[in-house]
């Protein structure tokens, strides 16, 4: 009987130890598992301080935000001379343009028109021109000269060297007017010549 009682006591002790170990494991699991699954510690809210004014305290008046200081007007002062310069520039440019236009008009007035100059030169040349009628170039111009002399037509001759030998160029004239040259042209045709067109004497 004594042995049985000892076995019962040992079993009770073992049961108690196991119960205590199980309770310890449960507590440990309850404490450790939340820390494992929630690694970030919970942030505690900052304390809120509330001040309740007393009866003797003055009424609360909110402060207005400070007004920003006005910007310096240095740039506006700098821009003022530029504006005045720009304002004075157009009249000066207009005066310069007017002066240039006036000079150009004077220069144009001084320059004679090219058409009028050419026309005046042509008229002067025609006024002093002498007209001739080419009769032809002949190896022996004696017979031609005799006919011109018989018809009382003025003439002159020029010696020209050609590949076939020297020839004599015969021309009727010179005549003071174009009308006289035209009459001489008709006379030469009547004498059987084949004269050229009326021209002016050069040289």
């Amino acid at each position: 009987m004594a042995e049985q009682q000892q076995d019962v006591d040992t079993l009770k002790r073992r049961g108690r130890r196991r119960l205590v170990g199980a309770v310890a494991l449960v507590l440990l699991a309850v404490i450790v598992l939340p820390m494992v699954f929630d690694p970030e510690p919970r942030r505690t809210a900052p304390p809120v301080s509330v001040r309740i004014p007393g009866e003797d305290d003055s009424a609360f008046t909110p402060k207005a935000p400070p007004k920003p200081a006005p910007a310096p007007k240095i740039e506006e002062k700098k821009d003022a001379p530029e504006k005045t310069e720009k304002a004075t520039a157009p009249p000066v440019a207009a005066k310069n343009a007017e002066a240039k236009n006036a000079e150009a008009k004077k220069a144009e007035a001084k320059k004679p028109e090219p058409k009028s100059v050419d026309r005046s030169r042509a008229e002067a040349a025609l006024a002093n021109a002498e007209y001739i009628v080419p009769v032809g170039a002949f190896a022996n111009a004696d017979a031609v000269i005799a006919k011109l002399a018989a018809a009382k037509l003025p003439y002159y001759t020029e010696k020209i060297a050609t590949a076939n030998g020297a020839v004599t160029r015969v021309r009727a004239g010179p005549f003071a007017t174009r009308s006289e040259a035209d009459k001489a042209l008709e006379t030469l045709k009547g004498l059987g010549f084949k004269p050229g067109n009326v021209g002016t004497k050069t040289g």
Side-chain angles (χ1 to χ4, degrees):
M1 293 291 291
E3 292 178 359
Q4 292 179 355
Q5 187 66 33
Q6 288 179 357
D7 294 336
V8 171
D9 290 338
T10 55
L11 290 172
K12 287 181 180 180
R13 289 175 183 174
R14 290 177 181 176
R16 287 175 184 173
R17 290 176 182 174
R18 291 177 181 176
L19 181 60
V20 171
V23 171
L25 289 173
V26 170
L27 292 174
L28 183 63
V30 170
I31 294 170
V32 174
L33 288 176
M35 295 175 66
V36 172
F37 290 106
D38 189 10
E40 294 183 0
R42 295 182 181 178
R43 297 178 182 177
T44 58
V48 179
S49 62
V50 179
R51 180 177 177 275
I52 301 173
E55 293 180 357
D56 297 334
D57 294 341
S58 60
F60 175 72
T61 55
K63 293 182 179 180
K67 295 181 179 180
K73 298 182 178 180
I74 298 173
E75 295 181 358
E76 293 181 358
K77 292 180 180 179
K78 289 182 179 180
D79 294 341
E82 293 180 359
K83 291 181 180 178
T84 54
E85 290 178 1
K86 290 180 180 179
T88 56
V92 175
K95 290 181 180 179
N96 293 334
E98 290 178 358
K100 289 181 180 178
N101 292 332
E103 291 177 0
K105 288 181 180 179
K106 289 180 181 179
E108 290 178 358
K110 291 179 181 179
K111 291 181 180 179
E113 295 181 0
K115 291 183 180 179
S116 62
V117 172
D118 294 340
R119 186 175 180 181
S120 61
R121 289 179 180 177
E123 290 177 355
L126 291 174
N128 298 325
E130 293 180 339
Y131 299 92
I132 54 95
V133 181
V135 179
F138 308 95
N140 186 3
D142 295 337
V144 177
I145 293 172
K147 286 184 178 181
L148 295 176
K152 296 182 180 180
L153 290 174
Y155 64 91
Y156 66 95
T157 60
E158 293 176 353
K159 295 287 185 179
I160 300 174
T162 64
N164 297 325
V167 294
T168 302
R169 178 184 291 171
V170 181
R171 293 181 177 180
F175 302 99
T177 61
R178 179 63 182 263
S179 59
E180 292 180 358
D182 291 337
K183 290 180 180 179
L185 178 63
E186 297 299 327
T187 303
L188 291 171
K189 288 180 180 179
L191 294 174
F193 295 108
K194 295 180 180 179
N197 296 327
V198 176
T200 56
K201 184 178 180 182
T202 58

